[in-house]
Amino acid sequence: MDDRDQKALDDIEKFGCHVINVMEGEESPQFTYSIGINNKQGLPDLIILGLKHKLAHSIVNNYKDRLLTGESFEIGKFYADFLGDFDVTFIEVDKKHYKEYLGWGLWLNNGNDFKMLQLVWPTTDGVWPWNSEKTDFYQWAQPILNENGVLSKI
């Protein structure tokens, strides 16, 4: 085990999760995700695609803290107080995306036997992934990681 692995395990023990920020690549947007929530609380970890790392990291910690207070989150329901005045919603990430996006989660859980939710956010104009007026950039920045990669109106 190297120092990064140990830091992840120490963060999970001390804070209830470890947050990973992944830089933007040629083919994929930047993203942020948690590991350890599933292990510590038995609840899904969280991935956020396309938002700046500092903001996404804060949202992941807000999600974890809200879970610790007993709040629960339903797929397809809208929630406030994650992203300023904008509502967000959650979808379950399909396991076919785990290898591409969740390497540390696969490491921590010795495979894909864990749940991951994706926080889905609107544009500042209130456009959601299911709206026809979404831009190509928005669609690229926030790929939908459910089973079919499509998000219809919730």
Side-chain angles (χ1 to χ4, degrees), residues 47-118:
I47 185 169
I48 303 168
L49 293 103
L51 293 180
K52 293 187 180 208
H53 293 308
K54 186 175 181 180
L55 174 60
H57 194 123
S58 173
I59 292 170
V60 167
N61 282 325
N62 182 6
Y63 168 81
K64 181 234 349 155
D65 291 343
R66 288 168 75 167
L67 289 173
L68 285 169
T69 66
E71 191 170 354
S72 62
F73 302 100
E74 296 176 38
I75 292 170
K77 188 174 176 184
F78 292 93
Y79 296 91
D81 302 327
F82 278 105
L83 191 58
D85 293 332
F86 296 94
D87 284 346
V88 300
T89 191
F90 297 94
I91 61 171
E92 187 169 348
V93 175
D94 189 89
K95 291 185 187 297
K96 71 182 176 186
H97 298 289
Y98 280 27
K99 185 175 181 184
E100 181 178 0
Y101 289 96
L102 307 172
W104 280 75
L106 294 168
W107 164 77
L108 179 66
N109 295 285
N110 294 313
N112 67 3
D113 189 24
F114 63 100
K115 287 197 179 213
M116 180 70 67
L117 296 183
Q118 178 181 352

